Amino acid sequence: MIELTGLTKRYGSRTVVDRVSGTIEAGGIISIIGANGAGKSTLLSMAARLLPMDEGTVFVDELDVLSTPSDQLARKLSILRQENTLSVRLSVRDLVAFGRHPHNRGRHTAEDREHVDRALRYLQLDELADRYVDELSGGQRQRAFIAMVIAQDTDYVLLDEPLNNLDMKHAVEMMQLLRRMAHDFGKTVVLVIHDINFASCYSDRIMAMKDGALVHHGTPEQIMRPEVLRDVYGIDIRVEQIDGHRIGIYFA
Ligand SMILES: Nc1ncnc2c1ncn2[C@@H]1O[C@H](COP(=O)(O)OP(=O)(O)OP(=O)(O)O)[C@@H](O)[C@H]1O
Ligand SMILES: [Mg+2]
């Protein structure tokens, strides 16, 4: 369980995350939706201690994110940032192996290699494993960074826009993989996502942010409603039931 209490971030006089409280139960896929600038990345970054909060607390199970030693936290929770850059030249395999660092501090065991191989396989990167990350396409690079997070093998996985740069096939495969991780392996996957229909079809719960606040939190059935989506995005979105899923239609 991730427990957010009064989580707040300010830049100067602007409050960009405003006293957000909420509980994310363990197990399942939780999508965070909301307009650009709503505070999604800031919230996720504070939850993973990439960014200090001004007020509030985050607990991941019994661990207070603020006071837990880095290695211990990194064995519990992993995060993919919205933007990923590397300052050194690394092969895909070496990047993915970095995900094992909290477990082995650089001394790789056979078990670590298994995790790396499995993550490469899950993300269909076997053939790219020896290529340099800076020689990949945008979508291939995105998958390499996600493989690193998966190799970290934590109970809680936070992903900021994991579908960035992915084509339709890879986006669907990514969501299926996340669903398998959540439902077959008991992971808790929290992702920021702009495609409300992917959120609707694959999430157990959806959290919606607006102007730094958590404004709605519920099942896809509860969130995928024209009045809720209008509140979140400020546009009219028609919602149709297709193959048992609520699908938003937002082009006119
Ligand atoms: N370092 C910073 N200094 C000042 N303001 C910032 C900083 N980082 C973010 N902000 C502001 O905080 C607000 C929330 O930003 P955040 O990146 O969390 O939005 P987001 O919901 O992730 O948006 P997007 O969908 O565009 O990724 C925005 O108004 C942004 O301009
Ligand atoms: Mg963001």
Side-chain angles (χ1 to χ4, degrees):
M1 176 168 83
I2 300 178
E3 185 97 55
L4 313 172
T5 310
L7 201 55
T8 298
K9 182 74 189 174
R10 293 187 204 93
Y11 288 110
S13 59
R14 278 194 325 124
T15 304
V16 300
V17 171
D18 196 4
R19 290 164 294 168
V20 169
S21 295
T23 302
I24 296 173
E25 299 293 343
I29 296 188
I30 298 86
S31 290
I32 303 177
I33 64 169
N36 293 143
K40 306 177 298 295
S41 295
T42 306
L43 181 82
L44 219 60
S45 295
M46 288 192 287
R49 205 176 51 190
L50 296 178
L51 196 65
M53 60 274 270
D54 289 310
E55 279 168 34
T57 57
V58 179
F59 274 81
V60 181
D61 290 342
E62 73 291 354
L63 302 179
D64 182 344
V65 161
L66 209 54
S67 61
T68 302
S70 298
D71 268 16
Q72 191 182 357
L73 188 63
R75 289 192 295 271
K76 186 76 159 176
L77 174 143
S78 53
I79 182 165
L80 173 83
R81 297 166 181 248
Q82 186 171 351
E83 313 284 350
N84 291 286
T85 49
L86 280 178
S87 51
V88 287
R89 200 148 203 245
L90 281 183
S91 72
V92 171
R93 183 183 298 280
D94 289 343
L95 174 71
V96 176
F98 257 116
R100 298 304 299 163
H101 199 267
H103 299 274
N104 63 25
R105 295 170 186 247
R107 295 166 64 95
H108 284 266
T109 64
E111 189 192 345
D112 293 318
R113 266 186 291 276
E114 256 174 54
H115 277 285
V116 171
D117 287 343
R118 192 178 313 139
L120 289 169
R121 201 166 58 242
Y122 280 168
L123 277 299
Q124 297 170 18
L125 291 165
D126 299 279
E127 287 179 7
L128 299 174
D130 297 317
R131 293 262 296 274
Y132 286 113
V133 174
D134 62 7
E135 291 174 350
L136 300 180
S137 76
Q140 292 167 339
R141 193 175 312 128
Q142 178 76 351
R143 275 154 50 211
F145 277 97
I146 291 172
M148 175 179 69
V149 170
I150 299 228
Q152 202 172 324
D153 190 33
T154 53
D155 289 345
Y156 294 87
V157 182
L158 313 184
L159 303 167
D160 199 345
E161 300 197 28
L163 303 186
N164 266 357
N165 288 319
L166 299 190
D167 64 52
M168 267 185 286
K169 173 173 178 284
H170 283 106
V172 168
E173 287 172 354
M174 178 66 64
M175 295 308 295
Q176 290 170 341
L177 171 64
L178 298 180
R179 185 161 61 188
R180 219 165 57 234
M181 284 167 51
H183 294 169
D184 298 353
F185 299 101
K187 311 269 189 200
T188 307
V189 180
V190 183
L191 64 146
V192 175
I193 189 165
H194 282 299
D195 188 322
I196 53 171
N197 292 329
F198 269 119
S200 175
C201 292
Y202 290 97
S203 310
D204 297 294
R205 305 220 143 231
I206 299 176
M207 299 167 78
M209 290 189 71
K210 183 180 168 184
D211 299 333
L214 179 60
V215 286
H216 300 276
H217 187 181
T219 61
E221 161 124 17
Q222 291 167 325
I223 302 295
M224 291 295 288
R225 295 171 183 271
E227 62 276 18
V228 174
L229 296 174
R230 190 183 313 112
D231 180 43
V232 176
Y233 292 104
I235 57 169
D236 288 322
I237 298 176
R238 200 168 92 224
V239 178
E240 300 273 345
Q241 189 85 12
I242 299 176
D243 290 346
H245 295 293
R246 284 171 178 261
I247 301 296
I249 296 163
Y250 48 85
F251 47 87

